[in-house]
């Protein structure tokens, strides 16, 4: 088994999930079987109880596991089916160790972070990496592990995220257990470009790599994220100060589509590097799968026809809250050669109370809804914003606009029909009114 650990530096949210997914896609295109594990150092057992604003969307797996949204990226990019144990949290690890301690498995020893927690992390990774995730049910050959949040948050500092430290130590030990030819560390860092000077700054990356080395992990590849393409002089500077060869520094700038990222990685020789570094039985040239991927990325950028969809939800301030809904719509639009124009509408802004408090917001929200080609009302919890969703559903029905209700959206579609077509004025879901005389849901 080969292991590729993807860590992050400087800030979170710089695209480690997309980088990890893209690396997996490239290796899968070379004919290898790939699986993925996501590490989240929060103490929650899983993502199921999170507010969407706290951690984005909760992605639900085939086995019912409620996990981090990055596992959705892995499944979409790699065309695999993951399991709840592919998402490791501090809560899961501590619960596992405490259960063993209660059973007496440690034979009265003092249970400590090192070695018991760190050993549990390593065992979990090794066991889960062997679980088949493809349709052919064969054991994977490569496991891509993404550690999040970033181990090194502080801009220009060397302070680690305290929750993540046991995982850092676990992988410091694990690199020797797995052997060098089976373990590779990729560090994703930010190269900011302040508007005042326009100069691309390497100091945050230097400090981030130095901090990682201080914790016992040395990056084999440094992936530099930036808004614009990075100049060669910057690459050479990072190479010199971070103690890696220039070909071990890879640039990923902001692109029009995340589907372009595997292409950028492949163009910078990552296949050849992995072949040598991990002694992989692959060709230097990309396979037909990557050629098809490139054609898809090219087609995505050449789309001319536009399809506009209004997404009427409660958590529209953060697009990650509806990541899977957005991806499903985006893939559907691409399949019929259309570019998706997804308009996020806060359902509360469609309500009469908003018209009184802020008429501009109210009319802007209704203008978006009226010009949409289709309306989608996704899931959610609680009664806030449901009146606005009912208004949007009623509009879609009376104006014969294509409509899709998902989860709560479907519940409210039933409620709206019962109230306005069957004249059951008190029709409701028992989720909102347990005592309703017409519990249609």
């Amino acid at each position: 088994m080969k292991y590729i650990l993807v860590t992050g530096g400087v800030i979170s949210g710089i695209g480690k999930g997309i980088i990890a997914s893209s690396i997996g896609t490239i290796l899968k295109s070379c004919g290898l079987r790939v699986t993925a594990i996501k590490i989240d150092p929060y103490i929650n057992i899983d993502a199921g109880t999170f507010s969407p604003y706290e951690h984005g969307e909760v992605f639900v797996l085939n086995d019912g596991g409620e996990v981090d949204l990055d596992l959705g990226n892995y499944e979409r990019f790699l065309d695999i089916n993951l399991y709840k144990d592919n998402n490791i949290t501090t809560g899961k690890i501590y619960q596992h160790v405490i259960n063993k301690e209660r059973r007496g498995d440690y034979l009265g020893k003092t249970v400590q972070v090192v070695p018991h927690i760190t050993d549990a992390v390593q065992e979990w990774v090794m066991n889960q990496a062997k679980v088949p995730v493809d349709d052919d049910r064969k054991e994977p050959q490569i496991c891509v592990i993404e550690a999040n949040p970033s181990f090194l948050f502080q801009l220009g500092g060397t302070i680690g995220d305290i929750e993540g430290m046991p995982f850092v130590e676990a992988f410091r030990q694990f690199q020797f257990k797995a052997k060098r030819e089976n373990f590779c560390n990729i560090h994703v860092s930010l190269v900011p470009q302040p508007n005042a000077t326009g100069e691309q700054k390497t100091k945050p990356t230097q400090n981030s790599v130095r901090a990682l080395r201080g914790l016992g992990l040395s990056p084999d590849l440094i992936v530099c994220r930036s808004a614009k393409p990075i100049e060669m002089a910057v690459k050479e500077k990072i190479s010199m100060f971070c103690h890696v060869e220039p070909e071990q520094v890879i640039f990923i700038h902001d692109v029009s589509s995340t589907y372009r990222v595997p292409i950028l990685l492949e163009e910078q020789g990552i296949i050849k590097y992995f072949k040598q570094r991990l002694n992989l039985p692959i060709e230097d040239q990309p396979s037909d799968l990557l050629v098809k991927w490139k054609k898809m990325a090219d087609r995505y950028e050449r789309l001319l026809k536009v399809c506009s969809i209004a997404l009427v939800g409660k958590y529209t301030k953060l697009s990650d809250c509806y990541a899977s809904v957005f991806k499903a719509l985006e893939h559907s639009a691409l399949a019929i050669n259309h570019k998706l124009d997804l308009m996020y509408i806060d359902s509360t802004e469609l309500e009469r109370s908003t018209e009184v408090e802020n008429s501009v917001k109210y009319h802007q929200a209704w203008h978006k809804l009226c010009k949409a080609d289709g309306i989608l009302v996704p899931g959610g919890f609680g009664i806030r914003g449901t009146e606005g969703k009912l208004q949007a559903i009623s509009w879609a029905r009376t104006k014969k606009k294509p409509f899709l209700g998902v989860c709560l959206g479907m519940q409210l579609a039933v409620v709206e029909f019962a109230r306005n077509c069957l004249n059951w004025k008190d029709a409701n879901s028992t989720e909102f009114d347990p005592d309703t005389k017409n519990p249609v849901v």
Side-chain angles (χ1 to χ4, degrees):
M1 177 67 68
K2 309 288 184 181
Y3 299 92
I4 297 174
L5 176 67
V6 180
T7 56
V10 184
I11 61 169
S12 62
I14 55 173
K16 289 192 310 303
I18 297 297
I19 298 294
S21 302
S22 299
I23 287 166
T25 300
I26 289 170
L27 293 170
K28 186 162 185 175
S29 76
C30 295
L32 298 167
R33 294 186 299 279
V34 183
T35 187
I37 291 175
K38 175 75 190 294
I39 294 176
D40 286 299
Y42 48 68
I43 297 173
N44 305 59
I45 299 297
D46 59 33
T49 56
F50 278 134
S51 156
Y53 285 137
E54 187 75 21
H55 217 260
E57 175 192 72
V58 174
F59 187 76
V60 183
L61 300 168
N62 280 6
D63 65 357
E66 296 175 324
V67 296
D68 186 84
L69 59 85
D70 275 322
L71 275 82
N73 276 328
Y74 304 154
E75 288 203 345
R76 284 186 287 268
F77 270 68
L78 296 169
D79 192 21
I80 55 178
N81 284 313
L82 298 172
Y83 302 92
K84 61 184 178 183
D85 286 346
N86 286 80
N87 192 188
I88 302 175
T89 68
T90 295
K92 284 182 180 178
I93 294 293
Y94 273 79
Q95 188 177 61
H96 173 72
V97 169
I98 289 168
N99 288 341
K100 287 181 73 174
E101 185 274 331
R102 291 291 83 190
R103 288 197 306 267
D105 292 3
Y106 296 119
L107 303 175
K109 287 192 183 332
T110 303
V111 179
Q112 297 174 288
V113 173
V114 181
H116 301 101
I117 296 295
T118 52
D119 282 354
V121 172
Q122 294 172 61
E123 287 168 18
W124 194 304
V125 167
M126 287 189 292
N127 291 336
Q128 197 59 30
K130 296 175 184 174
V131 176
V133 291
D134 287 306
D135 292 336
D136 61 11
R137 311 311 298 158
K138 290 182 179 177
E139 186 177 307
Q141 297 163 288
I142 291 192
C143 180
V144 180
I145 306 157
E146 182 198 344
N148 187 59
S150 303
F151 288 145
L152 313 159
F153 270 146
Q154 311 301 325
L155 186 62
T158 56
I159 302 169
D161 173 24
I162 192 166
E163 292 168 325
M165 298 314 288
F167 294 102
V168 182
E169 174 59 22
F171 284 106
R172 184 196 68 77
Q173 298 172 18
F174 187 69
Q175 63 186 328
F176 302 110
K177 185 181 289 186
K179 304 269 189 317
R180 175 172 165 76
E181 65 271 17
N182 299 322
F183 183 88
C184 179
N185 178 208
I186 298 172
H187 192 60
V188 184
S189 185
L190 178 70
V191 177
Q193 191 169 0
N195 289 332
T197 61
E199 183 185 2
Q200 291 170 328
K201 299 292 185 180
T202 64
K203 187 63 75 176
T205 299
Q206 293 176 43
N207 286 338
S208 175
V209 171
R210 187 183 302 121
L212 187 66
R213 282 214 172 91
L215 296 169
L217 286 169
S218 189
D220 297 286
L221 285 175
I222 300 173
V223 177
C224 299
R225 287 282 290 108
S226 62
K228 296 176 182 176
I230 294 177
E231 298 156 11
M232 188 52 67
V234 175
K235 180 174 188 170
E236 289 168 354
K237 189 174 181 182
I238 291 171
S239 165
M240 179 170 66
F241 285 105
C242 294
H243 197 62
V244 291
E245 296 287 342
E247 58 266 26
Q248 291 172 263
V249 182
I250 290 175
F251 303 151
I252 302 293
H253 57 271
D254 291 350
V255 286
S256 58
S257 160
T258 54
Y259 309 122
R260 182 64 61 189
V261 176
I263 311 302
L264 287 176
L265 289 168
E266 187 272 326
E267 286 172 350
Q268 294 179 65
I270 200 166
I271 294 177
K272 185 179 178 182
Y273 179 80
F274 279 137
K275 182 182 178 182
Q276 295 171 345
R277 174 66 180 75
L278 296 173
N279 193 25
L280 297 175
I282 56 177
E283 300 292 326
D284 288 348
Q285 296 303 313
S287 69
D288 290 343
L289 182 63
L290 209 57
V291 172
K292 286 179 183 175
W293 190 280
K294 186 175 189 306
K295 286 179 180 176
M296 181 188 71
D298 290 341
R299 186 158 61 93
Y300 182 90
E301 292 170 3
R302 289 198 300 264
L303 298 172
L304 298 175
K305 294 179 182 177
V306 176
C307 179
S308 60
I309 302 292
L311 188 149
V312 183
K314 294 168 61 172
Y315 318 110
T316 53
K317 291 184 180 71
L318 183 66
S319 60
D320 268 358
C321 295
Y322 299 111
S324 292
V325 175
F326 169 67
K327 288 298 179 185
L329 290 168
E330 186 181 46
H331 295 167
S332 303
L334 182 59
I336 57 168
N337 294 315
H338 278 61
K339 188 182 285 287
L340 173 68
D341 174 22
L342 186 61
M343 299 180 290
Y344 292 97
I345 300 174
D346 189 326
S347 58
T348 59
E349 293 177 6
L350 298 172
E351 297 174 356
R352 292 291 179 192
S353 57
T354 302
E355 185 180 20
V356 176
E357 295 166 10
N358 191 331
S359 61
V360 174
K361 267 188 178 179
Y362 175 81
H363 290 295
Q364 284 175 341
W366 273 101
H367 176 69
K368 280 185 186 176
L369 188 74
C370 293
K371 71 177 186 178
D373 296 319
I375 296 168
L376 189 148
V377 179
F381 295 94
I383 201 161
R384 182 184 68 83
T386 52
E387 191 56 43
K389 290 187 175 187
L390 286 166
Q391 294 277 358
I393 293 164
S394 185
W395 168 266
R397 181 178 57 77
T398 55
K399 300 299 179 184
K400 301 198 184 313
K401 289 274 186 182
F403 165 80
L404 177 63
V406 178
C407 195
L408 176 62
M410 189 62 215
Q411 283 195 51
L412 293 177
V414 175
V415 171
E416 191 279 331
F417 184 85
R419 288 181 184 179
N420 298 325
C421 294
L422 304 180
N423 283 323
W424 298 351
K425 296 305 178 187
D426 70 335
N428 215 331
S429 165
T430 54
E431 184 178 333
F432 305 120
D433 183 4
D435 302 319
T436 178
K437 290 178 183 174
N438 290 296
V440 290
V441 180

